[in-house]
Amino acid sequence: MPRSPPRRIVEGGSEAGRQLPTAVPVWVRLNQNRIQDPIGTLRLLEAEGMTFCAARNAHGCGPGKCSRPDCPLVHLYLFADQ
């Protein structure tokens, strides 16, 4: 499994008039999936070296961007809502 976020052309991701690929996390929505131990699952992801963001900042995080300075591999939007 890749350990770095994918890159794609996103709005505002340009330099000197050229659009350049920007790292963006994969947007995953797993809320209401009856995951028994969501906190334990997040710990397991961390132990495996998978970076993630809970995407709780609606102004900074979305399918095409992350508010964190280091772009994670995955956005786990509403993951804690089981």
Side-chain angles (χ1 to χ4, degrees), residues 4 7-8 10 14 17 19-20 25 32 34 39-40 46 48 52 56 61 74-75 79:
S4 60
R7 301 180 78 72
R8 70 176 188 183
V10 295
S14 65
Q19 288 192 325
L20 299 174
Q32 305 301 322
R34 299 182 182 165
I39 301 301
E46 286 178 334
E48 292 291 323
F52 62 89
R56 291 286 181 189
C61 293
V74 179
H75 262 147
F79 183 73

mmCIF file with all atom_site columns, all heavy atoms in Angstrom, residues 4 7-8 10 14 17 19-20 25 32 34 39-40 46 48 52 56 61 74-75 79:
data_model
loop_
_atom_site.group_PDB
_atom_site.id
_atom_site.type_symbol
_atom_site.label_atom_id
_atom_site.label_alt_id
_atom_site.label_comp_id
_atom_site.label_asym_id
_atom_site.label_entity_id
_atom_site.label_seq_id
_atom_site.pdbx_PDB_ins_code
_atom_site.Cartn_x
_atom_site.Cartn_y
_atom_site.Cartn_z
_atom_site.occupancy
_atom_site.B_iso_or_equiv
_atom_site.pdbx_formal_charge
_atom_site.auth_seq_id
_atom_site.auth_comp_id
_atom_site.auth_asym_id
_atom_site.auth_atom_id
_atom_site.pdbx_PDB_model_num
ATOM 1   N N   . SER A 1 4  ? 2.348   7.454  0.726   1.00 0.00 ? 4  SER A N   1
ATOM 2   C CA  . SER A 1 4  ? 2.285   8.890  0.481   1.00 0.00 ? 4  SER A CA  1
ATOM 3   C C   . SER A 1 4  ? 0.983   9.193  -0.249  1.00 0.00 ? 4  SER A C   1
ATOM 4   O O   . SER A 1 4  ? 0.461   8.359  -0.971  1.00 0.00 ? 4  SER A O   1
ATOM 5   C CB  . SER A 1 4  ? 3.483   9.352  -0.344  1.00 0.00 ? 4  SER A CB  1
ATOM 6   O OG  . SER A 1 4  ? 3.509   8.679  -1.583  1.00 0.00 ? 4  SER A OG  1
ATOM 7   N N   . ARG A 1 7  ? -1.438  12.390 -5.940  1.00 0.00 ? 7  ARG A N   1
ATOM 8   C CA  . ARG A 1 7  ? -1.353  13.759 -6.435  1.00 0.00 ? 7  ARG A CA  1
ATOM 9   C C   . ARG A 1 7  ? -2.375  13.918 -7.553  1.00 0.00 ? 7  ARG A C   1
ATOM 10  O O   . ARG A 1 7  ? -2.592  13.001 -8.338  1.00 0.00 ? 7  ARG A O   1
ATOM 11  C CB  . ARG A 1 7  ? 0.053   14.052 -6.937  1.00 0.00 ? 7  ARG A CB  1
ATOM 12  C CG  . ARG A 1 7  ? 1.102   13.854 -5.837  1.00 0.00 ? 7  ARG A CG  1
ATOM 13  C CD  . ARG A 1 7  ? 2.491   14.129 -6.323  1.00 0.00 ? 7  ARG A CD  1
ATOM 14  N NE  . ARG A 1 7  ? 2.828   15.526 -6.438  1.00 0.00 ? 7  ARG A NE  1
ATOM 15  C CZ  . ARG A 1 7  ? 3.046   16.364 -5.428  1.00 0.00 ? 7  ARG A CZ  1
ATOM 16  N NH1 . ARG A 1 7  ? 2.921   15.928 -4.198  1.00 0.00 ? 7  ARG A NH1 1
ATOM 17  N NH2 . ARG A 1 7  ? 3.362   17.613 -5.628  1.00 0.00 ? 7  ARG A NH2 1
ATOM 18  N N   . ARG A 1 8  ? -2.991  15.094 -7.600  1.00 0.00 ? 8  ARG A N   1
ATOM 19  C CA  . ARG A 1 8  ? -3.927  15.395 -8.686  1.00 0.00 ? 8  ARG A CA  1
ATOM 20  C C   . ARG A 1 8  ? -4.007  16.899 -8.868  1.00 0.00 ? 8  ARG A C   1
ATOM 21  O O   . ARG A 1 8  ? -3.614  17.670 -7.994  1.00 0.00 ? 8  ARG A O   1
ATOM 22  C CB  . ARG A 1 8  ? -5.300  14.795 -8.421  1.00 0.00 ? 8  ARG A CB  1
ATOM 23  C CG  . ARG A 1 8  ? -6.039  15.464 -7.294  1.00 0.00 ? 8  ARG A CG  1
ATOM 24  C CD  . ARG A 1 8  ? -7.420  14.876 -7.152  1.00 0.00 ? 8  ARG A CD  1
ATOM 25  N NE  . ARG A 1 8  ? -8.146  15.683 -6.192  1.00 0.00 ? 8  ARG A NE  1
ATOM 26  C CZ  . ARG A 1 8  ? -9.348  15.432 -5.789  1.00 0.00 ? 8  ARG A CZ  1
ATOM 27  N NH1 . ARG A 1 8  ? -9.982  14.392 -6.238  1.00 0.00 ? 8  ARG A NH1 1
ATOM 28  N NH2 . ARG A 1 8  ? -9.946  16.205 -4.916  1.00 0.00 ? 8  ARG A NH2 1
ATOM 29  N N   . VAL A 1 10 ? -5.773  20.220 -8.660  1.00 0.00 ? 10 VAL A N   1
ATOM 30  C CA  . VAL A 1 10 ? -6.877  20.754 -7.867  1.00 0.00 ? 10 VAL A CA  1
ATOM 31  C C   . VAL A 1 10 ? -6.974  22.246 -8.102  1.00 0.00 ? 10 VAL A C   1
ATOM 32  O O   . VAL A 1 10 ? -6.006  22.893 -8.493  1.00 0.00 ? 10 VAL A O   1
ATOM 33  C CB  . VAL A 1 10 ? -6.706  20.473 -6.351  1.00 0.00 ? 10 VAL A CB  1
ATOM 34  C CG1 . VAL A 1 10 ? -6.773  18.999 -6.054  1.00 0.00 ? 10 VAL A CG1 1
ATOM 35  C CG2 . VAL A 1 10 ? -5.439  21.072 -5.819  1.00 0.00 ? 10 VAL A CG2 1
ATOM 36  N N   . SER A 1 14 ? -1.876  25.961 -8.697  1.00 0.00 ? 14 SER A N   1
ATOM 37  C CA  . SER A 1 14 ? -1.106  26.368 -9.865  1.00 0.00 ? 14 SER A CA  1
ATOM 38  C C   . SER A 1 14 ? 0.112   27.172 -9.460  1.00 0.00 ? 14 SER A C   1
ATOM 39  O O   . SER A 1 14 ? 0.189   27.720 -8.368  1.00 0.00 ? 14 SER A O   1
ATOM 40  C CB  . SER A 1 14 ? -1.982  27.175 -10.820 1.00 0.00 ? 14 SER A CB  1
ATOM 41  O OG  . SER A 1 14 ? -2.378  28.374 -10.206 1.00 0.00 ? 14 SER A OG  1
ATOM 42  N N   . GLY A 1 17 ? 0.807   30.300 -13.515 1.00 0.00 ? 17 GLY A N   1
ATOM 43  C CA  . GLY A 1 17 ? -0.174  30.037 -14.560 1.00 0.00 ? 17 GLY A CA  1
ATOM 44  C C   . GLY A 1 17 ? -0.280  28.590 -14.991 1.00 0.00 ? 17 GLY A C   1
ATOM 45  O O   . GLY A 1 17 ? -1.127  28.252 -15.794 1.00 0.00 ? 17 GLY A O   1
ATOM 46  N N   . GLN A 1 19 ? -0.959  24.590 -14.029 1.00 0.00 ? 19 GLN A N   1
ATOM 47  C CA  . GLN A 1 19 ? -1.560  23.750 -12.995 1.00 0.00 ? 19 GLN A CA  1
ATOM 48  C C   . GLN A 1 19 ? -0.628  22.584 -12.717 1.00 0.00 ? 19 GLN A C   1
ATOM 49  O O   . GLN A 1 19 ? -0.243  21.853 -13.632 1.00 0.00 ? 19 GLN A O   1
ATOM 50  C CB  . GLN A 1 19 ? -2.934  23.253 -13.415 1.00 0.00 ? 19 GLN A CB  1
ATOM 51  C CG  . GLN A 1 19 ? -3.984  24.329 -13.409 1.00 0.00 ? 19 GLN A CG  1
ATOM 52  C CD  . GLN A 1 19 ? -5.364  23.739 -13.532 1.00 0.00 ? 19 GLN A CD  1
ATOM 53  O OE1 . GLN A 1 19 ? -5.567  22.752 -14.204 1.00 0.00 ? 19 GLN A OE1 1
ATOM 54  N NE2 . GLN A 1 19 ? -6.322  24.371 -12.896 1.00 0.00 ? 19 GLN A NE2 1
ATOM 55  N N   . LEU A 1 20 ? -0.264  22.426 -11.456 1.00 0.00 ? 20 LEU A N   1
ATOM 56  C CA  . LEU A 1 20 ? 0.633   21.353 -11.055 1.00 0.00 ? 20 LEU A CA  1
ATOM 57  C C   . LEU A 1 20 ? -0.102  20.369 -10.156 1.00 0.00 ? 20 LEU A C   1
ATOM 58  O O   . LEU A 1 20 ? -0.977  20.766 -9.387  1.00 0.00 ? 20 LEU A O   1
ATOM 59  C CB  . LEU A 1 20 ? 1.828   21.928 -10.293 1.00 0.00 ? 20 LEU A CB  1
ATOM 60  C CG  . LEU A 1 20 ? 2.697   22.911 -11.064 1.00 0.00 ? 20 LEU A CG  1
ATOM 61  C CD1 . LEU A 1 20 ? 3.745   23.513 -10.153 1.00 0.00 ? 20 LEU A CD1 1
ATOM 62  C CD2 . LEU A 1 20 ? 3.347   22.217 -12.242 1.00 0.00 ? 20 LEU A CD2 1
ATOM 63  N N   . PRO A 1 25 ? -5.246  13.952 0.215   1.00 0.00 ? 25 PRO A N   1
ATOM 64  C CA  . PRO A 1 25 ? -5.565  12.675 0.861   1.00 0.00 ? 25 PRO A CA  1
ATOM 65  C C   . PRO A 1 25 ? -6.760  11.997 0.194   1.00 0.00 ? 25 PRO A C   1
ATOM 66  O O   . PRO A 1 25 ? -7.602  12.652 -0.410  1.00 0.00 ? 25 PRO A O   1
ATOM 67  C CB  . PRO A 1 25 ? -5.906  13.081 2.297   1.00 0.00 ? 25 PRO A CB  1
ATOM 68  C CG  . PRO A 1 25 ? -6.180  14.531 2.258   1.00 0.00 ? 25 PRO A CG  1
ATOM 69  C CD  . PRO A 1 25 ? -5.554  15.099 1.033   1.00 0.00 ? 25 PRO A CD  1
ATOM 70  N N   . GLN A 1 32 ? -21.096 5.393  10.567  1.00 0.00 ? 32 GLN A N   1
ATOM 71  C CA  . GLN A 1 32 ? -22.276 4.533  10.664  1.00 0.00 ? 32 GLN A CA  1
ATOM 72  C C   . GLN A 1 32 ? -22.037 3.137  10.069  1.00 0.00 ? 32 GLN A C   1
ATOM 73  O O   . GLN A 1 32 ? -22.914 2.558  9.438   1.00 0.00 ? 32 GLN A O   1
ATOM 74  C CB  . GLN A 1 32 ? -23.494 5.196  9.995   1.00 0.00 ? 32 GLN A CB  1
ATOM 75  C CG  . GLN A 1 32 ? -23.829 6.576  10.518  1.00 0.00 ? 32 GLN A CG  1
ATOM 76  C CD  . GLN A 1 32 ? -24.122 6.588  12.014  1.00 0.00 ? 32 GLN A CD  1
ATOM 77  O OE1 . GLN A 1 32 ? -24.726 5.674  12.545  1.00 0.00 ? 32 GLN A OE1 1
ATOM 78  N NE2 . GLN A 1 32 ? -23.683 7.636  12.691  1.00 0.00 ? 32 GLN A NE2 1
ATOM 79  N N   . ARG A 1 34 ? -20.744 0.701  12.134  1.00 0.00 ? 34 ARG A N   1
ATOM 80  C CA  . ARG A 1 34 ? -20.718 -0.154 13.324  1.00 0.00 ? 34 ARG A CA  1
ATOM 81  C C   . ARG A 1 34 ? -19.325 -0.730 13.607  1.00 0.00 ? 34 ARG A C   1
ATOM 82  O O   . ARG A 1 34 ? -19.195 -1.887 13.997  1.00 0.00 ? 34 ARG A O   1
ATOM 83  C CB  . ARG A 1 34 ? -21.752 -1.269 13.203  1.00 0.00 ? 34 ARG A CB  1
ATOM 84  C CG  . ARG A 1 34 ? -23.148 -0.742 13.095  1.00 0.00 ? 34 ARG A CG  1
ATOM 85  C CD  . ARG A 1 34 ? -24.147 -1.858 13.033  1.00 0.00 ? 34 ARG A CD  1
ATOM 86  N NE  . ARG A 1 34 ? -25.479 -1.302 12.879  1.00 0.00 ? 34 ARG A NE  1
ATOM 87  C CZ  . ARG A 1 34 ? -26.517 -1.997 12.518  1.00 0.00 ? 34 ARG A CZ  1
ATOM 88  N NH1 . ARG A 1 34 ? -26.399 -3.281 12.297  1.00 0.00 ? 34 ARG A NH1 1
ATOM 89  N NH2 . ARG A 1 34 ? -27.683 -1.430 12.398  1.00 0.00 ? 34 ARG A NH2 1
ATOM 90  N N   . ILE A 1 39 ? -11.377 3.920  17.978  1.00 0.00 ? 39 ILE A N   1
ATOM 91  C CA  . ILE A 1 39 ? -10.123 4.451  18.517  1.00 0.00 ? 39 ILE A CA  1
ATOM 92  C C   . ILE A 1 39 ? -9.005  3.421  18.350  1.00 0.00 ? 39 ILE A C   1
ATOM 93  O O   . ILE A 1 39 ? -7.885  3.755  17.954  1.00 0.00 ? 39 ILE A O   1
ATOM 94  C CB  . ILE A 1 39 ? -10.287 4.855  20.002  1.00 0.00 ? 39 ILE A CB  1
ATOM 95  C CG1 . ILE A 1 39 ? -11.377 5.919  20.153  1.00 0.00 ? 39 ILE A CG1 1
ATOM 96  C CG2 . ILE A 1 39 ? -8.961  5.344  20.578  1.00 0.00 ? 39 ILE A CG2 1
ATOM 97  C CD1 . ILE A 1 39 ? -11.139 7.186  19.375  1.00 0.00 ? 39 ILE A CD1 1
ATOM 98  N N   . GLY A 1 40 ? -9.296  2.172  18.625  1.00 0.00 ? 40 GLY A N   1
ATOM 99  C CA  . GLY A 1 40 ? -8.316  1.106  18.430  1.00 0.00 ? 40 GLY A CA  1
ATOM 100 C C   . GLY A 1 40 ? -7.915  0.974  16.965  1.00 0.00 ? 40 GLY A C   1
ATOM 101 O O   . GLY A 1 40 ? -6.751  0.714  16.647  1.00 0.00 ? 40 GLY A O   1
ATOM 102 N N   . GLU A 1 46 ? -2.016  4.088  12.883  1.00 0.00 ? 46 GLU A N   1
ATOM 103 C CA  . GLU A 1 46 ? -0.787  4.784  13.272  1.00 0.00 ? 46 GLU A CA  1
ATOM 104 C C   . GLU A 1 46 ? 0.373   3.807  13.418  1.00 0.00 ? 46 GLU A C   1
ATOM 105 O O   . GLU A 1 46 ? 1.487   4.082  12.968  1.00 0.00 ? 46 GLU A O   1
ATOM 106 C CB  . GLU A 1 46 ? -0.995  5.545  14.582  1.00 0.00 ? 46 GLU A CB  1
ATOM 107 C CG  . GLU A 1 46 ? -1.825  6.788  14.424  1.00 0.00 ? 46 GLU A CG  1
ATOM 108 C CD  . GLU A 1 46 ? -2.061  7.517  15.741  1.00 0.00 ? 46 GLU A CD  1
ATOM 109 O OE1 . GLU A 1 46 ? -2.034  6.868  16.814  1.00 0.00 ? 46 GLU A OE1 1
ATOM 110 O OE2 . GLU A 1 46 ? -2.284  8.732  15.687  1.00 0.00 ? 46 GLU A OE2 1
ATOM 111 N N   . GLU A 1 48 ? 0.820   1.093  11.902  1.00 0.00 ? 48 GLU A N   1
ATOM 112 C CA  . GLU A 1 48 ? 1.214   0.625  10.569  1.00 0.00 ? 48 GLU A CA  1
ATOM 113 C C   . GLU A 1 48 ? 1.868   1.729  9.745   1.00 0.00 ? 48 GLU A C   1
ATOM 114 O O   . GLU A 1 48 ? 2.255   1.513  8.598   1.00 0.00 ? 48 GLU A O   1
ATOM 115 C CB  . GLU A 1 48 ? -0.012  0.086  9.821   1.00 0.00 ? 48 GLU A CB  1
ATOM 116 C CG  . GLU A 1 48 ? -0.567  -1.185 10.397  1.00 0.00 ? 48 GLU A CG  1
ATOM 117 C CD  . GLU A 1 48 ? 0.374   -2.370 10.179  1.00 0.00 ? 48 GLU A CD  1
ATOM 118 O OE1 . GLU A 1 48 ? 1.017   -2.447 9.123   1.00 0.00 ? 48 GLU A OE1 1
ATOM 119 O OE2 . GLU A 1 48 ? 0.457   -3.208 11.098  1.00 0.00 ? 48 GLU A OE2 1
ATOM 120 N N   . PHE A 1 52 ? -3.253  9.887  8.696   1.00 0.00 ? 52 PHE A N   1
ATOM 121 C CA  . PHE A 1 52 ? -4.664  10.195 8.461   1.00 0.00 ? 52 PHE A CA  1
ATOM 122 C C   . PHE A 1 52 ? -5.029  11.502 9.141   1.00 0.00 ? 52 PHE A C   1
ATOM 123 O O   . PHE A 1 52 ? -4.317  11.993 10.009  1.00 0.00 ? 52 PHE A O   1
ATOM 124 C CB  . PHE A 1 52 ? -5.580  9.067  8.953   1.00 0.00 ? 52 PHE A CB  1
ATOM 125 C CG  . PHE A 1 52 ? -5.487  8.823  10.423  1.00 0.00 ? 52 PHE A CG  1
ATOM 126 C CD1 . PHE A 1 52 ? -6.296  9.512  11.308  1.00 0.00 ? 52 PHE A CD1 1
ATOM 127 C CD2 . PHE A 1 52 ? -4.588  7.903  10.936  1.00 0.00 ? 52 PHE A CD2 1
ATOM 128 C CE1 . PHE A 1 52 ? -6.216  9.292  12.670  1.00 0.00 ? 52 PHE A CE1 1
ATOM 129 C CE2 . PHE A 1 52 ? -4.491  7.672  12.285  1.00 0.00 ? 52 PHE A CE2 1
ATOM 130 C CZ  . PHE A 1 52 ? -5.303  8.371  13.162  1.00 0.00 ? 52 PHE A CZ  1
ATOM 131 N N   . ARG A 1 56 ? -12.049 17.190 10.578  1.00 0.00 ? 56 ARG A N   1
ATOM 132 C CA  . ARG A 1 56 ? -13.060 17.897 11.365  1.00 0.00 ? 56 ARG A CA  1
ATOM 133 C C   . ARG A 1 56 ? -13.126 19.386 11.049  1.00 0.00 ? 56 ARG A C   1
ATOM 134 O O   . ARG A 1 56 ? -14.091 20.042 11.381  1.00 0.00 ? 56 ARG A O   1
ATOM 135 C CB  . ARG A 1 56 ? -12.783 17.709 12.865  1.00 0.00 ? 56 ARG A CB  1
ATOM 136 C CG  . ARG A 1 56 ? -13.005 16.304 13.339  1.00 0.00 ? 56 ARG A CG  1
ATOM 137 C CD  . ARG A 1 56 ? -14.463 16.023 13.409  1.00 0.00 ? 56 ARG A CD  1
ATOM 138 N NE  . ARG A 1 56 ? -14.704 14.666 13.893  1.00 0.00 ? 56 ARG A NE  1
ATOM 139 C CZ  . ARG A 1 56 ? -15.891 14.110 13.888  1.00 0.00 ? 56 ARG A CZ  1
ATOM 140 N NH1 . ARG A 1 56 ? -16.926 14.747 13.434  1.00 0.00 ? 56 ARG A NH1 1
ATOM 141 N NH2 . ARG A 1 56 ? -16.039 12.893 14.349  1.00 0.00 ? 56 ARG A NH2 1
ATOM 142 N N   . CYS A 1 61 ? -10.392 21.296 5.464   1.00 0.00 ? 61 CYS A N   1
ATOM 143 C CA  . CYS A 1 61 ? -10.304 19.935 4.937   1.00 0.00 ? 61 CYS A CA  1
ATOM 144 C C   . CYS A 1 61 ? -11.488 19.639 4.028   1.00 0.00 ? 61 CYS A C   1
ATOM 145 O O   . CYS A 1 61 ? -12.610 20.061 4.299   1.00 0.00 ? 61 CYS A O   1
ATOM 146 C CB  . CYS A 1 61 ? -10.280 18.911 6.071   1.00 0.00 ? 61 CYS A CB  1
ATOM 147 S SG  . CYS A 1 61 ? -8.793  19.003 7.073   1.00 0.00 ? 61 CYS A SG  1
ATOM 148 N N   . VAL A 1 74 ? -4.840  9.622  4.123   1.00 0.00 ? 74 VAL A N   1
ATOM 149 C CA  . VAL A 1 74 ? -6.293  9.416  4.144   1.00 0.00 ? 74 VAL A CA  1
ATOM 150 C C   . VAL A 1 74 ? -6.993  10.467 4.999   1.00 0.00 ? 74 VAL A C   1
ATOM 151 O O   . VAL A 1 74 ? -6.516  10.832 6.059   1.00 0.00 ? 74 VAL A O   1
ATOM 152 C CB  . VAL A 1 74 ? -6.617  8.013  4.728   1.00 0.00 ? 74 VAL A CB  1
ATOM 153 C CG1 . VAL A 1 74 ? -8.111  7.773  4.784   1.00 0.00 ? 74 VAL A CG1 1
ATOM 154 C CG2 . VAL A 1 74 ? -5.940  6.922  3.953   1.00 0.00 ? 74 VAL A CG2 1
ATOM 155 N N   . HIS A 1 75 ? -8.142  10.937 4.511   1.00 0.00 ? 75 HIS A N   1
ATOM 156 C CA  . HIS A 1 75 ? -9.095  11.698 5.323   1.00 0.00 ? 75 HIS A CA  1
ATOM 157 C C   . HIS A 1 75 ? -10.153 10.712 5.793   1.00 0.00 ? 75 HIS A C   1
ATOM 158 O O   . HIS A 1 75 ? -10.803 10.054 4.969   1.00 0.00 ? 75 HIS A O   1
ATOM 159 C CB  . HIS A 1 75 ? -9.805  12.759 4.479   1.00 0.00 ? 75 HIS A CB  1
ATOM 160 C CG  . HIS A 1 75 ? -9.226  14.114 4.586   1.00 0.00 ? 75 HIS A CG  1
ATOM 161 N ND1 . HIS A 1 75 ? -9.239  14.975 3.529   1.00 0.00 ? 75 HIS A ND1 1
ATOM 162 C CD2 . HIS A 1 75 ? -8.630  14.773 5.604   1.00 0.00 ? 75 HIS A CD2 1
ATOM 163 C CE1 . HIS A 1 75 ? -8.671  16.111 3.892   1.00 0.00 ? 75 HIS A CE1 1
ATOM 164 N NE2 . HIS A 1 75 ? -8.287  16.003 5.149   1.00 0.00 ? 75 HIS A NE2 1
ATOM 165 N N   . PHE A 1 79 ? -15.323 9.420  10.912  1.00 0.00 ? 79 PHE A N   1
ATOM 166 C CA  . PHE A 1 79 ? -14.996 8.045  11.299  1.00 0.00 ? 79 PHE A CA  1
ATOM 167 C C   . PHE A 1 79 ? -15.436 7.719  12.725  1.00 0.00 ? 79 PHE A C   1
ATOM 168 O O   . PHE A 1 79 ? -15.888 6.610  13.007  1.00 0.00 ? 79 PHE A O   1
ATOM 169 C CB  . PHE A 1 79 ? -13.494 7.799  11.145  1.00 0.00 ? 79 PHE A CB  1
ATOM 170 C CG  . PHE A 1 79 ? -13.086 6.399  11.444  1.00 0.00 ? 79 PHE A CG  1
ATOM 171 C CD1 . PHE A 1 79 ? -13.385 5.375  10.577  1.00 0.00 ? 79 PHE A CD1 1
ATOM 172 C CD2 . PHE A 1 79 ? -12.419 6.086  12.609  1.00 0.00 ? 79 PHE A CD2 1
ATOM 173 C CE1 . PHE A 1 79 ? -13.012 4.063  10.843  1.00 0.00 ? 79 PHE A CE1 1
ATOM 174 C CE2 . PHE A 1 79 ? -12.041 4.780  12.894  1.00 0.00 ? 79 PHE A CE2 1
ATOM 175 C CZ  . PHE A 1 79 ? -12.339 3.780  11.999  1.00 0.00 ? 79 PHE A CZ  1
#
